[in-house]
Amino acid sequence: MLIWRLRTIVTERGLMVDYSSEFNYKIINDPIYGCIGLSQTEVRLLDTRAMQRLRRIRQMGFSSYVFPSGEHSRFVHSLGVLCIIGKMCEHLYRKYGKTSKRRNDVGYVFSLDSIRLLRAAALLHDVGHFPFSHLTENVYGYIENTKSAQLMRRDVEDSSKQDAHLLSNIANHLKQKEKDHEHLGAEVIMRDPEISSILEKAKLKPEDVGCIITGDVQAHPIYAQMLHSSLDADRLDYLLRDSRQAGVSFGKIELEYILRQMRIISTLISGVPTNLIAFDCRAQHAIEHFLMGRYFHYTQVVLHKTSMAFEAIAKALIYKVLSTQQETMPYRDYDNIVSDIGSDRFYEFTDDCFWQLIASASKKMDKNCFVKVLWESLAQRKNPTHVLTITDIVPKASVSPVSKPVNDPSFFLTRYFLENSKDELAKEANIDSKYIGFVESKVSLESIPSHLKTEDCRSDNFLDDVRGAIRIVDKAGKTSFLASDNKSLINKMVDYTSNSIDVFVIGDVPQKNIEKLKKVIKSRALL
Amino acid sequence: MIFKDFLSNEEVLIMNSTYISTAIALRDLHCSSLDTLDDRILLQKKVYLAQDIGLPLGYGYGWYIHGPYSTDLTAAAYQIIPEGFYSLEKKGFKPEFARMIAKVNALELENKCMETPLSRVEWYELLASIAYWYKRGKCELNGMIAKIKECKPQFTCDQTKVAYNAYLAFKDHSDGERSDG
């Protein structure tokens, strides 16, 4: 017995030595984690032109207009996500690796091949990112949506009238996942000759890596959970890194403790036994702390009213530039970008390049035209004049099959008047309607409603949300959603979103007109 | 989200403009419920078929248990349907695109599987599955029967054959209409 145990320990240690040497081929210093270890394949991937492109895409977009230290790149964030996935994998490998005695009842084996695949996906997860982070991918979505609405609908106003509502419409446009940076990333991984050959040389299929990045991993939901869930490596790194760079302390979380409480469980989804990640109940409070930290980081940093206004301005400007010069413009639509993969044009698809693009287009415009005003606001950081902010905590639309009328209507009345009567409001305040914008933001703690039980999960609905919701294993081994635990703080808050509307005005508008606008909105919305 | 407008005392809808085209499509496809699995399957498949003949809603579909499925469409539907279609009275598609919707609805009448009848939901599930594999090169009847047998064994060869022919007529007719328009 003793000899057998000793042999096991030696074998385990031997494997961990292999593990350690493979994934510490090169060490990179990092301000958050100290050292990040990389394998030889990962170093090669890091040196590709497609990955180096990420050095020139800032992680926080225009948040750095408010938090000036937030100038770090998608490149360092990618390394951070690799580091966290590495920590997750190391823990799961110890617990569920080939020689571990502590494997779970379903006999799930977490192999070195899985680790290589997951680490490659983590490193490459942002390789398809658009310039200025999420801002530009929304513009592309808006361009497509506008084009198709004009094509198929009889009620859509002509394009000359669109300027009047552009700032708000584009700021509040919801992105479509199918043409986002993750799907572009999957295309890059399959089409970029450098990346695909490095992966193939390492016996990794580019399409497998791409599927983890897009979350389309039906056969291995664990992989998707590690990179696409309410508590994944991506969210952990950006909370830690962005809050540190912004100079706020919402990212001070118990990372190591949370990761060490990761478990693999087997659960039934639509009657099919499925292996998923869950967390031991000992980590529940640390996880709740993470969710709260993330919530505050979003409300205070990501959705800061000034950076949201600048993002709206940048979106409107990029839209105007891309849509008015469509025929000759590079990067004119998503399909055009996909066709550029592997060429210099794709490697130059960065913040700097887009800045040059909008600068040269804007400079050609007449002094007082809309594009020029947008450009001057952005280039000179002319602070948009803040008119008012309304915040309300409201029930999520998906909680009840039929939404109930809201008791305090001021938030929705404001939203309604801004959406439907902006021209009248602008006229009363004597401000050109196109210079008035509003941004609506919503933040919630978890993706699923509190009433959803693990046993009610269906595979046909909210695939990502149900798969990505945080599961807790209690001391008796029973698994439930953190959101459904009625003794948790999160349970009391998941059915609500914090909604905000920020109204702003760009350009040189006299203060008395701003005051008038504020007064008109307030009187209409019963504030 | 719906609230009472104090001025008119009517229920007012605030819908994000991103979803308006989808809301019009769902209204006209008679997809107004998400309560049952059948409702959700029908919604997914009808929109898939409408896109297949050219309605540019832009939803990307993958293959899931019940055939073509779009997570983005699910998210949109859960925003739209609980709110109802109150504010869409003055909104609608141009005739060319309205005809596409009508054709998807009319497919219901082609459900003529004699030996083993199919429910409305099964019929649309089979049609959308055929459309999905047709797009991916399974254009011949025998190839399609084999593919459907592999991924949807609940459907018989006869049912697949009837649906395949209905799909070809639906697609051919639609292509003709579009080029005329």
Side-chain angles (χ1 to χ4, degrees), chain B residues 92-134:
Chain B
F93 291 136
K94 290 176 185 167
E96 183 191 355
F97 295 95
R99 275 201 294 276
M100 292 175 189
I101 297 273
K103 275 184 208 315
V104 174
N105 289 330
L107 270 173
E108 201 173 330
L109 305 171
E110 303 304 315
N111 184 359
K112 293 169 184 165
C113 300
M114 296 302 177
E115 283 177 23
T116 328
L118 290 173
S119 71
R120 191 161 68 112
V121 177
E122 288 169 329
W123 173 245
Y124 276 101
E125 182 177 333
L126 179 55
L127 284 169
S129 303
I130 287 172
Y132 186 88
W133 293 116
Y134 190 89

Side-chain angles (χ1 to χ4, degrees), chain B:
Chain B
M1 181 62 71
I2 303 162
F3 69 95
K4 289 265 182 195
D5 184 343
F6 289 109
L7 307 176
S8 63
N9 204 29
E10 285 173 358
E11 284 190 328
V12 177
L13 172 83
I14 303 174
M15 185 180 287
N16 188 300
S17 57
T18 316
Y19 290 143
I20 290 175
S21 301
T22 308
I24 296 169
L26 296 184
R27 178 196 65 188
D28 296 351
L29 288 166
H30 315 304
C31 296
S32 56
S33 168
L34 288 163
D35 294 346
T36 66
L37 178 61
D38 280 358
D39 292 335
R40 299 189 292 269
I41 293 174
L42 201 59
L43 182 148
Q44 288 281 339
K45 309 317 170 206
K46 280 190 160 187
V47 172
Y48 184 77
L49 288 163
Q51 288 198 162
D52 190 50
I53 54 167
L55 191 74
L57 290 173
Y59 291 104
Y61 275 76
W63 182 266
Y64 286 87
I65 296 166
H66 292 283
Y69 177 89
S70 165
T71 45
D72 271 352
L73 177 60
T74 301
Y78 271 87
Q79 288 291 317
I80 296 162
I81 289 179
E83 297 174 354
F85 304 118
Y86 297 98
S87 69
L88 300 178
E89 283 138 29
K90 291 174 193 162
K91 299 187 193 302
F93 291 136
K94 290 176 185 167
E96 183 191 355
F97 295 95
R99 275 201 294 276
M100 292 175 189
I101 297 273
K103 275 184 208 315
V104 174
N105 289 330
L107 270 173
E108 201 173 330
L109 305 171
E110 303 304 315
N111 184 359
K112 293 169 184 165
C113 300
M114 296 302 177
E115 283 177 23
T116 328
L118 290 173
S119 71
R120 191 161 68 112
V121 177
E122 288 169 329
W123 173 245
Y124 276 101
E125 182 177 333
L126 179 55
L127 284 169
S129 303
I130 287 172
Y132 186 88
W133 293 116
Y134 190 89
K135 249 187 189 174
R136 285 157 181 78
K138 302 281 174 211
C139 301
E140 297 303 318
L141 175 63
N142 289 338
M144 184 63 77
I145 289 175
K147 189 70 206 174
I148 295 294
K149 207 170 178 182
E150 176 199 325
C151 62
K152 297 238 157 239
Q154 71 270 34
F155 295 117
T156 66
C157 291
D158 177 56
Q159 289 166 337
T160 305
K161 204 171 166 181
V162 173
Y164 177 81
N165 288 327
Y167 174 69
L168 286 189
F170 164 74
K171 204 165 169 59
D172 284 351
H173 195 199
S174 307
D175 289 347
E177 283 265 339
R178 283 183 70 200
S179 55
D180 290 346

Side-chain angles (χ1 to χ4, degrees), chain A residues 70-188:
Chain A
E71 292 274 358
H72 55 294
S73 67
R74 289 271 155 194
F75 184 82
V76 289
H77 165 65
S78 300
L79 281 167
V81 175
L82 170 71
C83 179
I84 292 184
I85 280 278
K87 285 173 187 283
M88 288 175 169
C89 288
E90 195 172 334
H91 167 72
L92 293 176
Y93 186 63
R94 279 181 201 280
K95 224 166 165 49
Y96 306 106
K98 204 173 175 184
T99 57
S100 173
K101 270 178 64 212
R102 293 167 293 181
R103 289 209 304 268
N104 63 352
D105 298 338
V106 289
Y108 183 84
V109 179
F110 197 71
S111 67
L112 265 176
D113 287 340
S114 314
I115 295 173
R116 291 182 188 114
L117 185 66
L118 274 162
R119 287 179 60 106
L123 187 61
L124 295 169
H125 83 282
D126 268 352
V127 74
H129 232 293
F130 293 66
F132 304 128
S133 284
H134 295 284
L135 186 158
T136 314
E137 73 187 351
N138 276 341
V139 177
Y140 282 108
Y142 184 78
I143 290 173
E144 267 192 35
N145 199 286
T146 310
K147 260 199 250 172
S148 63
Q150 277 174 345
L151 176 72
M152 68 179 155
R153 276 166 47 196
R154 55 182 155 78
D155 56 283
V156 176
E157 60 189 12
D158 64 64
S159 53
S160 62
K161 272 190 171 179
Q162 280 182 2
D163 274 0
H165 303 280
L166 181 62
L167 265 179
S168 309
N169 282 351
I170 203 163
N172 298 308
H173 180 77
L174 303 169
K175 76 164 185 174
Q176 280 196 318
K177 285 181 194 164
E178 281 95 0
K179 289 191 174 177
D180 63 5
H181 68 279
E182 287 164 351
H183 286 80
L184 185 58
E187 295 282 358
V188 173

Side-chain angles (χ1 to χ4, degrees), chain A residues 191-211:
Chain A
R191 289 165 182 250
D192 186 90
E194 282 184 297
I195 290 183
S196 56
S197 81
I198 292 167
L199 290 174
E200 278 159 10
K201 217 171 173 181
K203 296 190 173 64
L204 296 170
K205 287 184 186 163
E207 57 269 31
D208 290 350
V209 179
C211 284

Side-chain angles (χ1 to χ4, degrees), chain A residues 47-90:
Chain A
D47 288 340
T48 58
R49 294 179 71 189
M51 276 302 291
Q52 291 297 317
R53 183 183 75 95
L54 299 185
R55 286 185 186 276
R56 295 181 295 281
I57 297 178
R58 279 179 301 170
Q59 162 85 352
M60 293 177 69
F62 282 93
S63 292
S64 61
Y65 269 32
V66 178
F67 300 95
S69 301
E71 292 274 358
H72 55 294
S73 67
R74 289 271 155 194
F75 184 82
V76 289
H77 165 65
S78 300
L79 281 167
V81 175
L82 170 71
C83 179
I84 292 184
I85 280 278
K87 285 173 187 283
M88 288 175 169
C89 288
E90 195 172 334

Side-chain angles (χ1 to χ4, degrees), chain A residues 199-245:
Chain A
L199 290 174
E200 278 159 10
K201 217 171 173 181
K203 296 190 173 64
L204 296 170
K205 287 184 186 163
E207 57 269 31
D208 290 350
V209 179
C211 284
I212 297 175
I213 289 172
T214 56
D216 186 17
V217 210
Q218 294 171 63
H220 296 283
I222 287 175
Y223 296 175
Q225 279 184 296
M226 289 167 79
L227 213 52
H228 287 274
S229 66
S230 297
L231 183 46
D232 63 16
D234 192 12
R235 290 180 183 203
L236 282 163
D237 182 74
Y238 76 61
L239 178 62
L240 287 160
R241 192 173 299 278
D242 295 3
S243 64
R244 181 189 164 112
Q245 290 298 121

